[in-house]
Amino acid sequence: MKPEDKEMQLDIIRRQLGLSEAGEELSDLFDGLLASALMHSNRTSTPDALLKLVRDAVCAAWRRRGDEGSTGSTAGGQSYTYEDIEATLHKNIVAAGLRVLRL
């Protein structure tokens, strides 16, 4: 992915999260989930639909910071159950028909 394309994706994610700056942490999170998505989908290029799934996964992972490894939490009378973000990403890739079968 070209640096300017990556920066455009990070800008979209920052807007979704309401962040003005997020530094390298958000970029590293995006890189890791994008690599996982490309590997699981057996692709070398990134169609727009795949980028949308990666952006959603990055937002979910960013919001969950500090609770890594937890399966749930309760705060202020609200109960939260977490799902595995990478497993959900992989499931969504298959459900969206973005996986290319290898021969």
Side-chain angles (χ1 to χ4, degrees):
M1 171 173 278
K2 296 178 189 173
E4 58 270 11
D5 293 338
K6 178 182 173 183
E7 195 56 41
M8 185 177 74
Q9 295 302 316
L10 291 173
D11 285 342
I12 293 169
I13 294 167
R14 282 188 205 101
R15 280 196 308 271
Q16 289 175 341
L17 293 171
L19 302 172
S20 58
E21 281 296 319
E24 292 297 312
E25 190 176 350
L26 189 65
S27 179
D28 292 343
L29 193 56
F30 178 79
D31 289 341
L33 287 169
L34 179 61
S36 177
L38 288 171
M39 183 181 67
H40 189 72
S41 64
N42 297 324
R43 291 179 179 268
T44 56
S45 63
T46 51
D48 290 339
L50 185 63
L51 287 173
K52 167 74 171 100
L53 294 176
V54 171
R55 286 193 311 262
D56 290 347
V58 170
C59 288
W62 184 264
R63 289 184 182 114
R64 188 173 164 184
R65 286 179 316 133
D67 286 331
E68 292 91 344
S70 300
T71 57
S73 66
T74 303
Q78 294 288 327
S79 177
Y80 302 96
T81 303
Y82 303 126
E83 51 188 41
D84 183 350
I85 294 170
E86 279 199 46
T88 302
L89 174 62
H90 296 170
K91 180 182 75 174
N92 291 341
I93 288 169
V94 173
L98 294 171
R99 190 166 189 193
V100 177
L101 298 177
R102 289 186 187 173
L103 295 178

